[in-house]
């Protein structure tokens, strides 16, 4: 009883750090519910990713083998997982609240008639969970009833699982799918290639806002600082909406939530929706010419300055520090 | 084409949210209520599809209380043809709301349901996906581009690391992301017309769907506030502090 099934996301056999966060939250929940943590993978390269995931502490790793699961699609994945949950008698299905986790888990919950809590940040000993609401202005303690539940976890709230001494056994499962009910078709994936770190994996994030004024300035002014610090680049919604940078970089309530060691907000005023995505960062720096900007209310170090002068100066100062 | 657009009444995004001292909810005095911004994008997309096709019907649905009429009238003023308000006296969880919407959809038989990817109050991001599953329809979440041709729909989705394109036959559920469109404002003639458009009310418990919540909010609390630090005078001082005090570079 109390078993937790973790959906371990990967792309072509490689998994992001967020997958290890799901495993770690799954292990914690299984311990508190007196059950086992079982990881499940599907899609192209699942076997290779499974061999890696097996080293991070789950009791068992399952690989769903079925040609229709080659490319992830919500309808097929929800069917396959619902069947597996029934077979295993698992109590909770858990995934990280990535784009895929957010797409799949509610569909799975509806298929199973299960309640779902999104983006939980803590698991209490009594089995209740905590999640932010209202752009992080309220923390709700949630009780989920019923024989089966679904949760997604916020990537910043749990540590990544650590490798253990032994590897869990891996089993292959062939799900039974109702093919007639599957109507979605994968067309293509247009990957935004970048040599920089992923936003939700970086120790340092440098984000730009409307104050950068153009996409060109992101390249010529902000990127040198991003690269000098070995950081990931982020942006406010205003900068994404203005087309300065791709949507994938948006930090905030409706974009990505990050909590790096250092978050540098450049030309970002600090709307509550942006703060919801970064206020748990360890150290926050704000550079803005408006000394009344709300971002200074959460910044550990605030610099009131023209960013077009301050950012190049900072690049030079960081360079000097390194040599 | 008939398109169903579920809309939720939420506090204006600019409102400062305060948790009540007893943790039972949020203070609602002085809160301005609006249509959930993502649902506005959904309505705009539905109106554009109708305008492009030159025919069709855009139907709004809300699951809430009498006060929600206000947001439905705003949606009618933007251009929706009629509205359905399903009234529920006790709070419903996301799955119950999805069941209500799916039930209405099975009666109304729209070809598309377009809904915001998340409501900015509870930030759950669940209802669209749940409705799709309950109806056995395809889903396209986080849409940034929608194309319709010959009963087939192609959607570009905003996902981690890039843009994914999927295709499927109708009927289907689409959930909207920020970049799909820029919603219009209600015009004065639109507001006048909206008063005469049909707004039907019915009771959630008359639909014969399971409503008992399996998700309960036990209590709400205010998160610890982050304290503001201090201002530094120069870039040089900033970098020194990050190196010697915060030890992050």
């Amino acid at each position: 009883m109390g078993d937790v099934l973790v959906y371990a996301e990967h792309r072509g056999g490689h998994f992001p750090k967020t997958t290890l966060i799901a495993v770690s939250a799954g292990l914690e929940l299984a311990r508190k519910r007196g059950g086992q943590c079982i990881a499940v993978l599907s899609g192209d390269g699942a076997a290779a990713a499974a061999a890696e995931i097996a080293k991070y502490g789950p009791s068992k790793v399952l690989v769903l083998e079925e040609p229709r699961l080659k490319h992830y699609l919500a309808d097929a994945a929800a069917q396959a997982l619902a069947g597996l949950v029934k077979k295993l008698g698992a109590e909770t299905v858990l995934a990280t609240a990535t784009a895929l986790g957010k797409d799949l888990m509610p569909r799975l919950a509806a298929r199973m008639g299960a309640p779902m809590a999104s983006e939980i940040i803590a698991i209490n000993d009594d089995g209740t969970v905590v999640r932010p609401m209202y752009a992080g202005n309220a923390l709700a303690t949630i009780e989920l009833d019923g024989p089966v539940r679904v949760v997604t976890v916020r990537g910043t709230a749990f540590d990544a699982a650590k490798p253990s001494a032994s590897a869990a056994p891996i089993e292959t499962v062939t799900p039974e799918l109702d093919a007639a009910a599957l109507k979605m078709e994968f067309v293509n994936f247009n990957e935004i290639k970048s040599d920089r770190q992923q936003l939700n994996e970086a120790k340092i994030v440098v984000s730009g806002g409307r104050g950068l004024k153009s996409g060109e300035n992101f390249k010529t002014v902000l990127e040198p600082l991003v690269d000098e610090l070995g950081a990931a680049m982020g942006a406010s919604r205003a900068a994404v909406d203005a087309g300065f940078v791709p949507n994938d970089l948006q930090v905030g309530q409706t974009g990505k939530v990050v909590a790096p060691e250092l978050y540098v907000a450049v030309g970002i005023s600090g709307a509550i929706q942006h703060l919801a995505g970064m206020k748990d960062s360890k150290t926050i720096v704000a550079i803005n010419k408006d000394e009344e900007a709300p971002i200074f209310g959460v910044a550990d170090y605030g610099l009131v300055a023209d960013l077009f002068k301050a950012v190049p100066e900072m690049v030079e100062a960081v360079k000097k520090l390194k040599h | 084409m008939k398109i169903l657009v579920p809309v939720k009444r939420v506090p204006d995004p600019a409102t400062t949210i305060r948790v009540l001292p007893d943790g039972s909810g949020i203070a609602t005095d002085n809160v301005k209520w609006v249509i959930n911004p993502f649902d506005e994008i959904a309505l705009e997309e539905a109106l554009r599809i109708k305008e492009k096709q030159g025919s069709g019907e855009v139907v709004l649905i809300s699951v809430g209380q009498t006060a929600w009429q206000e947001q439905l009238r705003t949606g009618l003023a933007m251009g929706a043809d009629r509205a359905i308000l399903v009234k529920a006296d006790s709070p419903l969880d996301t799955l119950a709301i999805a069941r209500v919407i799916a039930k209405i959809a099975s009666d109304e038989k729209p070809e598309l349901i377009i809904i915001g990817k998340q409501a900015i109050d509870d930030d759950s991001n669940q209802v669209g996906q749940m409705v799709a599953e309950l109806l056995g329809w395809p889903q396209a979440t986080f849409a940034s581009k929608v194309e319709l041709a010959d009963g087939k729909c192609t959607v570009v989705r905003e996902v981690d690391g890039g843009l994914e394109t999927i295709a499927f036959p109708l009927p289907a559920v689409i959930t909207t992301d920020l970049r799909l469109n820029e919603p219009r404002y209600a015009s004065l003639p639109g507001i006048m017309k909206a008063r005469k458009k049909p707004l039907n009310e019915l009771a959630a418990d008359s639909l014969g769907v399971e409503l008992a919540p399996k998700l309960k909010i036990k209590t709400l609390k205010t998160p610890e506030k982050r304290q503001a630090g201090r201002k530094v005078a120069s870039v040089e001082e900033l970098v020194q502090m990050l190196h010697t005090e915060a030890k992050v570079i």
Side-chain angles (χ1 to χ4, degrees), chain A residues 169-192:
Chain A
I170 300 170
E171 291 171 23
T172 302
V173 182
T174 308
E176 277 174 35
L177 296 183
D178 171 11
L182 303 179
K183 297 171 193 135
M184 294 167 62
E185 181 195 333
F186 172 82
V187 178
N188 64 48
F189 177 57
N190 189 356
E191 190 174 359
I192 298 164

Side-chain angles (χ1 to χ4, degrees), chain B residues 217-237:
Chain B
I217 298 175
K218 307 275 283 181
T219 175
L220 286 182
K221 66 172 189 177
T222 306
E224 270 178 51
K225 276 255 175 323
R226 196 183 174 107
Q227 296 303 316
R230 58 192 162 95
K231 297 265 169 61
V232 290
S234 66
V235 168
E236 200 181 347
E237 187 189 348

Side-chain angles (χ1 to χ4, degrees), chain A residues 22-302:
Chain A
V23 172
S24 138
L27 287 165
E28 180 182 340
L29 183 59
R31 197 169 59 241
K32 287 181 174 165
R33 302 296 298 162
Q36 292 191 323
C37 172
I38 302 161
V40 58
L41 297 93
S42 62
D44 243 2
E52 285 303 306
I53 289 293
K55 297 173 189 162
Y56 286 86
S59 308
K60 195 162 53 175
V61 179
L62 304 175
V63 177
L64 290 169
E65 220 169 51
E66 155 65 49
R68 284 170 192 278
L69 298 175
K70 183 175 186 287
H71 286 291
Y72 163 80
L73 287 166
D75 54 359
Q79 262 201 29
L81 282 179
L84 186 63
V85 172
K86 207 168 166 191
K87 207 166 105 185
L88 296 171
E91 184 184 69
T92 311
V93 187
L94 183 151
T96 305
T98 58
L100 191 154
K102 291 173 182 177
D103 185 55
L104 171 59
M105 289 294 135
R107 185 160 187 131
L108 174 63
R111 193 172 182 87
M112 304 189 301
M116 169 170 170
S118 299
E119 297 211 35
I120 66 166
I121 58 167
I123 300 160
N124 295 326
D125 290 338
D126 65 359
T128 57
V129 296
V130 181
R131 63 175 302 264
M133 292 173 64
Y134 300 98
N137 287 300
L139 296 179
T141 301
I142 305 270
E143 188 179 77
L144 300 170
D145 289 332
V148 53
R149 305 110 192 236
V150 177
V151 296
T152 57
V153 300
R154 179 166 279 188
T156 55
F158 296 85
D159 292 328
K162 296 197 169 53
S164 65
S166 59
I170 300 170
E171 291 171 23
T172 302
V173 182
T174 308
E176 277 174 35
L177 296 183
D178 171 11
L182 303 179
K183 297 171 193 135
M184 294 167 62
E185 181 195 333
F186 172 82
V187 178
N188 64 48
F189 177 57
N190 189 356
E191 190 174 359
I192 298 164
K193 293 229 162 50
S194 169
D195 296 334
R196 295 201 183 88
Q197 295 196 61
Q198 292 292 315
L199 253 181
N200 43 21
E201 299 191 359
K203 284 202 163 74
I204 302 178
V205 172
V206 177
S207 286
R210 206 199 309 259
L212 264 296
K213 291 195 177 116
S214 72
E216 187 57 31
N217 289 336
F218 263 81
K219 284 199 175 67
T220 55
V221 181
L222 200 66
E223 287 191 12
L225 180 60
V226 173
D227 292 336
E228 196 57 45
L229 289 169
M233 188 161 83
S236 69
R237 177 183 164 183
V240 176
D241 281 356
F244 298 169
V245 288
N247 56 275
D248 184 49
L249 300 187
Q250 186 188 326
V251 172
Q253 179 191 14
T254 59
K256 288 200 169 65
V257 177
V258 299
E261 298 278 302
L262 172 61
Y263 187 90
V264 185
V266 178
I268 292 176
S269 65
I272 199 144
Q273 289 78 8
H274 186 75
L275 303 186
M278 45 64 81
K279 68 181 161 55
D280 293 327
S281 305
K282 193 169 154 244
T283 299
I284 297 174
V285 169
I287 301 174
N288 202 301
K289 66 178 178 199
D290 173 14
E291 63 178 312
E292 301 294 325
I295 190 78
F296 288 120
V298 298
D300 299 287
Y301 303 103

